[in-house]
Amino acid sequence: MVRGKLEVLLISAKGLDDSDFLNRMDPYVILTWRSNEQKSTVAKGAGSEPEWNETFVFKVYSSADNSPQLSLKIMDSDAFSADDLVGEASIPLEAVLLEGSLPPDVHRIVKDEEYCGEIKIKLTFTPAEENEEEESYGGWNQSA
């Protein structure tokens, strides 16, 4: 069982398919780890080359027998209609859970199995210490 904190630094994207016809798109990212979902700020008017430089933190509780993945959905914020899906990326987490930290890396964004850009992120995993686990579950600690 792996427990700890996963930090995701959402850096930028490039080569995105701009879905807006009259003006530049306003992209944002929905990051999902299991059932925990977080949303970046909207990069207003950034078009196909947005930069965020935002950090997101997820608590990790993972069994050793599964293949943990971080899911990224790049969306285009629209004021007068539903937001458009620009593309998606699935990031395997096995390496960062073992290594602890990975340098910034670029991942392919796909939509309908077609390449539609790249997203750059940095991953850092900090394992939980034994006493952190007990406290997070409301465990009993003896005071001195």
Side-chain angles (χ1 to χ4, degrees):
M1 181 73 87
V2 176
R3 294 173 194 233
K5 177 176 71 171
L6 175 67
E7 288 184 40
V8 181
L9 173 59
L10 177 63
I11 301 170
S12 62
K14 67 178 185 178
L16 300 179
D17 287 339
D18 197 334
S19 58
D20 283 354
F21 296 111
L22 300 176
N23 47 358
R24 299 178 72 165
M25 72 176 170
D26 306 312
Y28 66 92
V29 180
I30 299 171
L31 302 91
T32 307
W33 158 253
R34 299 207 175 200
S35 61
N36 187 355
E37 190 173 277
Q38 297 185 44
K39 181 182 163 186
S40 74
T41 56
V42 175
K44 291 202 178 286
S48 61
E49 309 279 327
E51 289 189 19
W52 294 279
N53 292 311
E54 288 182 62
T55 301
F56 301 87
V57 178
F58 294 91
K59 284 188 177 182
V60 174
Y61 305 98
S62 176
S63 301
D65 60 349
N66 65 3
S67 300
Q69 290 195 344
L70 177 69
S71 214
L72 305 176
K73 271 190 192 176
I74 297 88
M75 305 292 291
D76 174 22
S77 179
D78 289 325
F80 302 108
S81 62
D83 293 353
D84 301 316
L85 174 67
V86 176
E88 300 178 88
S90 291
I91 316 299
L93 297 177
E94 292 92 351
V96 73
L97 295 179
L98 290 172
E99 300 292 326
S101 182
L102 297 176
D105 199 8
V106 174
H107 301 273
R108 293 172 49 93
I109 299 168
V110 295
K111 181 179 178 185
D112 300 325
E113 299 181 19
E114 302 239 346
Y115 172 85
C116 60
E118 300 175 339
I119 191 161
K120 186 175 187 178
I121 63 170
K122 180 182 187 322
L123 299 172
T124 304
F125 175 69
T126 307
E129 294 180 20
E130 292 300 318
N131 60 356
E132 286 181 44
E133 287 180 36
E134 290 175 12
E135 290 173 13
S136 67
Y137 289 112
W140 180 77
N141 288 330
Q142 182 176 3
S143 60

